[in-house]
Amino acid sequence: MARKTGSHAEITGPRLRAVARDLFARHGYAAVSMRQIAAGVGVQAGALYLYTPDKQALLFELMRGHMDDLLAALAAEPMPADPCGRLAAFARFHVHFHLDRPAEVFIAYMELRNLTPENFAVLERQRHAYEDALEAILRDGAATGAFRVPDAKLATRALIAMLTGVTQWFRDGGRLGRAEVGAIYAEMALRAVGA
Amino acid sequence: MARKTGSHAEITGPRLRAVARDLFARHGYAAVSMRQIAAGVGVQAGALYLYTPDKQALLFELMRGHMDDLLAALAAEPMPADPCGRLAAFARFHVHFHLDRPAEVFIAYMELRNLTPENFAVLERQRHAYEDALEAILRDGAATGAFRVPDAKLATRALIAMLTGVTQWFRDGGRLGRAEVGAIYAEMALRAVGA
DNA sequence: GTCTATAATTAGATAGAC
DNA sequence: GTCTATCTAATTATAGAC
C-alpha cells in the first residue's frame, strides 16, 4: 500500500475514469482540478496525461460512452408490438437504466455546455437518436388511435423530462423500490398520452 | 461612452446582477470569473466588491431571489376550487413562469451544488415549500376521487420534472406558442394523474 | 465609485529524473 | 509508469491612489 511508484497501467486507466466520473458528478467539471482527480486515483497530476490528452477529452469520453451504452441498451431491449406495450417498456427501461447510473446521468445533463462545439455536436446527435426512438412509439400510437398526442415532439420531451427526473430524488432503501417506481412512472407515461 | 470612471451606483448594482445571471446561466458558476463579470458590467474587477461581498453571495442572492419570486407569484395566482382546475392552473402557471425566466431557471437547477451548505439549506426549504403546494393539490384530488395517484410525493416530482423540462426546448417564434404549450402540458399533467 | 496594482493561490499542462 | 519540479496563465480578493 505504501508503494509510491511503479507500473499500474491496467489499474490506473479505469480508475482515472471512475474517479473523474464521480468528481465531475459531485462538484461539476469546471470545479474539479486535475490535481483533485490525481489525488483520487492515487498518483501525481502529471501521470494523468499518460491516459488522457487533456481534461476535455476525459469529459467527452465519459459522456459519449454513457450515450453509447444507452443507445446499445435500448436497441437490446425487447419491445412488444403494440404501442402501449412499447411505451411502457420504454418508460421502465429509461427509469431503470438511469437509476443504475446516477453519476453518468448527472454529467450527461449538466456538463453539455462544457464540451467543445465539436464534442457537443456528437452528443447532440446521440441524444436526438434516443429521443427519436420514443417519438416513433408515440407517432405509431397516435396513428393507430391508441394515444392522443396533439404534438409528438412536445410529448416526447415532456415524457423524457418526467422519466429522467426520477434520478433527482430516488434513493435505494427508501419507501419505494425500483420496480415499483418504474411501474408507476410507466403508468403515468401511458396516462399522460391518453392511452 | 468613453467615460472610464465616475459614480454609477444605481446602474452598476442591477447591471452586476443581470450580467452575473446571464454569464452563470450560459457558462456555469464555476466557469465564470469575476473579471468576465466585470467586463460585462463595464468596470474593473475590484469595483464589483462594492456591490457584493464575494462571488458566492452573488450566486446565492440570484437563486434566493428567483425562489422568492416563484413562491410570491404562486401565492398571487388565482386558483379554482376543484382539484382539476387547480392542477391545470398550477401547470400553466409553472410553464409560463419558467419560460419567462430561462436564465434564472437554468441557474436554479444547475448551480445548487455550488452553494455553501448553509445557502443550500435555504434554497432546499424554498424548493420544498413550492413542491408542497403541488402535493397538496394532488392529495386533495386523490381524496375526492378526482385523481388516481398511487404516491403523491412521486407524482409531485414527476409532474414538476415534466413541466420544468419545457425550458430545455421551447423557443419563442417556434412552431408552438406559449399559451398552446402551457395548455398541452396542463392536459398531459391532468391525464398523468388520471383526471 | 472606480481604477490600478498586487498579494496569495491555484489552474492545466509539460520536461526530465528515476 | 510515476514523480518532482516547473512554466505560464488565471483565479479571488484586497489596498490605496484618484
Side-chain angles (χ1 to χ4, degrees), chain B residues 94-110:
Chain B
H94 189 96
V95 166
H96 288 134
F97 187 92
H98 282 65
L99 286 183
D100 285 340
R101 293 158 183 81
E104 285 89 344
V105 169
F106 213 68
I107 294 170
Y109 280 85
M110 304 284 271

Side-chain angles (χ1 to χ4, degrees), chain B residues 28-62:
Chain B
Y29 172 78
V32 171
S33 72
M34 293 299 270
R35 279 170 181 78
Q36 280 179 271
I37 297 171
V41 174
V43 298
Q44 293 300 313
L48 299 182
Y49 292 87
L50 293 168
Y51 300 94
T52 184
D54 52 28
K55 196 184 170 191
Q56 167 73 202
L58 208 44
L59 175 65
F60 176 59
E61 279 159 31
L62 284 171

Side-chain angles (χ1 to χ4, degrees), chain B residues 141-153:
Chain B
T144 67
F147 304 152
R148 280 173 295 161
V149 281
D151 190 281
K153 269 212 178 335

Side-chain angles (χ1 to χ4, degrees), chain A residues 105-126:
Chain A
V105 169
F106 213 69
I107 293 170
Y109 280 84
M110 303 285 271
E111 305 298 352
L112 284 167
R113 62 183 168 189
N114 285 312
L115 292 170
T116 64
E118 302 76 32
N119 290 345
F120 177 78
V122 173
L123 267 288
E124 272 293 285
R125 278 196 293 277
Q126 293 183 296

